[in-house]
Amino acid sequence: MLSLRTLILLGLASGFALSARAAFQADIEYGTASGESLKLDASVPDGAGPWPVVILVHGGGWTAGDKSGGPKKGYMAPMHEPLTKAGFAWFSINYRLAPKYHYPAQLEDLQTAIRWVKAHAAQYHLDLTRIALSGESAGSQMVAMAAMQADDSTRVAAVIPFYLPADLLEDPIKTGTLNPSRSALIGRTAFDDEARTQLRAASPMYFVKAGLPPFLLLHGTADQNVPYHQSVDMQAKLRAVGVPCELITIPGGVHGMLTWDTVAPDYKERVIAWLEKTMPAKK
């Protein structure tokens, strides 16, 4: 039989665990566009906060993907638990997909989500000065472009792109053709002058400027979808104009972070450490 003291200690521990948990809510509507309901999932720590925030944007070639990570819990889902444990609020968004909706519909939806999160800061006890964007693959292109085209309503404190397609022109210039994802994104089949103009307008590499928030890039050296050197080149271009930018290289890492734990088991902790350093809590 447990002693009274043990029962009290267990009760205290249980109460602490309860207070440390985050409240999760799925499928919150953050806006509408073209008759479509735009939805996000929210995970917010219990308590008064104010909590630092990360808005997560899934990849999928702009034509697929899901905020939840899908059946395999890929896309941005591997970061859900680390962010929750570290005391971050996170909001994972869905957005309009190509080919039904062409660029910049996807970017516009992300901008709507940023404004929604800011508008609901009091409700969720969020710190408006500590909002970061993070996306993977197609989602990383979106978060980078959102930072580069930000105004007062969408400005954030940090950006974390995973395997960023920084230059959407590189592949079609080499091959002379558009791969299916780029074709779907801009609604064109031939790599002509108009396609070149549209892809350039969607390429973060061409919009780097001074005054952007700090960037943390992550990229695997064995990525067969987006060349690793695009993140290396992006880091150099950001640093050249005085934007703080760090690059976490994943040796042998492929496109998609589901297998990264086997080659870089500390990458999630390094992301959290960078966020805590870049967006420190007010003292």
Side-chain angles (χ1 to χ4, degrees):
M1 192 173 192
L2 296 176
S3 67
L4 178 60
R5 180 174 180 274
T6 301
L7 288 171
I8 291 173
L9 290 173
L10 286 173
L12 289 172
S14 174
F16 176 78
L18 182 62
S19 67
R21 283 205 299 264
F24 177 81
Q25 187 175 353
D27 295 328
I28 302 169
E29 184 174 87
Y30 69 86
T32 58
S34 306
E36 302 263 356
S37 175
L38 306 174
K39 294 181 179 178
L40 57 76
D41 295 343
S43 174
V44 181
D46 290 334
W51 309 113
V53 184
V54 183
I55 299 173
L56 304 173
V57 187
H58 70 79
W62 303 280
T63 64
D66 186 76
K67 56 185 168 54
S68 72
K72 295 183 179 180
K73 291 298 178 186
Y75 306 112
M76 289 303 301
M79 291 304 304
H80 291 177
E81 185 177 355
L83 288 168
T84 299
K85 286 184 175 180
F88 285 80
W90 54 263
F91 298 84
S92 185
I93 74 166
N94 274 347
Y95 50 88
R96 287 174 291 169
L97 298 173
K100 184 176 181 180
Y101 300 104
H102 300 141
Y103 188 81
Q106 299 75 22
L107 175 60
E108 291 168 354
D109 292 349
L110 172 55
Q111 292 166 332
T112 297
I114 297 169
R115 296 185 186 104
W116 184 93
V117 167
K118 290 187 175 186
H120 290 78
Q123 175 183 347
Y124 292 106
H125 309 293
L126 310 177
D127 188 340
L128 285 170
T129 68
R130 292 192 290 161
I131 299 177
L133 304 178
S134 186
E136 57 97 42
S137 196
S140 72
Q141 175 267 341
M142 292 167 57
V143 301
M145 289 300 298
M148 291 166 185
Q149 297 187 2
D151 57 22
D152 288 342
S153 70
T154 58
R155 193 162 288 114
V156 297
V159 188
I160 308 175
F162 287 73
Y163 27 98
L164 171 66
D167 186 356
L168 300 183
L169 282 171
E170 179 183 356
D171 181 68
I173 285 175
K174 287 181 178 178
T175 65
T177 61
L178 296 175
N179 66 24
S181 65
R182 284 166 177 75
S183 179
L185 182 65
I186 63 174
R188 302 188 71 83
T189 56
F191 184 49
D192 53 18
D193 289 343
E194 180 60 26
R196 183 186 292 267
T197 298
Q198 289 180 298
L199 290 175
R200 190 184 190 281
S203 296
M205 184 70 75
Y206 300 102
F207 294 89
V208 171
K209 59 186 177 182
L212 293 173
F215 273 65
L216 173 64
L217 304 170
L218 294 94
H219 213 132
T221 59
D223 193 319
Q224 294 182 323
N225 294 67
V226 179
Y228 166 71
H229 75 79
Q230 288 214 3
S231 283
V232 175
D233 296 345
M234 188 68 171
Q235 182 189 36
K237 193 156 188 180
L238 286 163
R239 286 183 166 181
V241 296
V243 177
C245 181
E246 297 183 30
L247 170 60
I248 295 178
T249 296
I250 310 297
V254 298
H255 195 77
M257 66 183 92
L258 270 181
T259 62
W260 281 11
D261 284 329
T262 61
V263 293
D266 65 339
Y267 82 91
K268 297 170 189 172
E269 290 76 12
R270 294 176 69 184
V271 171
I272 298 298
W274 184 86
L275 278 168
E276 291 173 339
K277 177 187 72 174
T278 305
M279 304 193 306
K282 295 175 183 176
K283 295 183 180 179

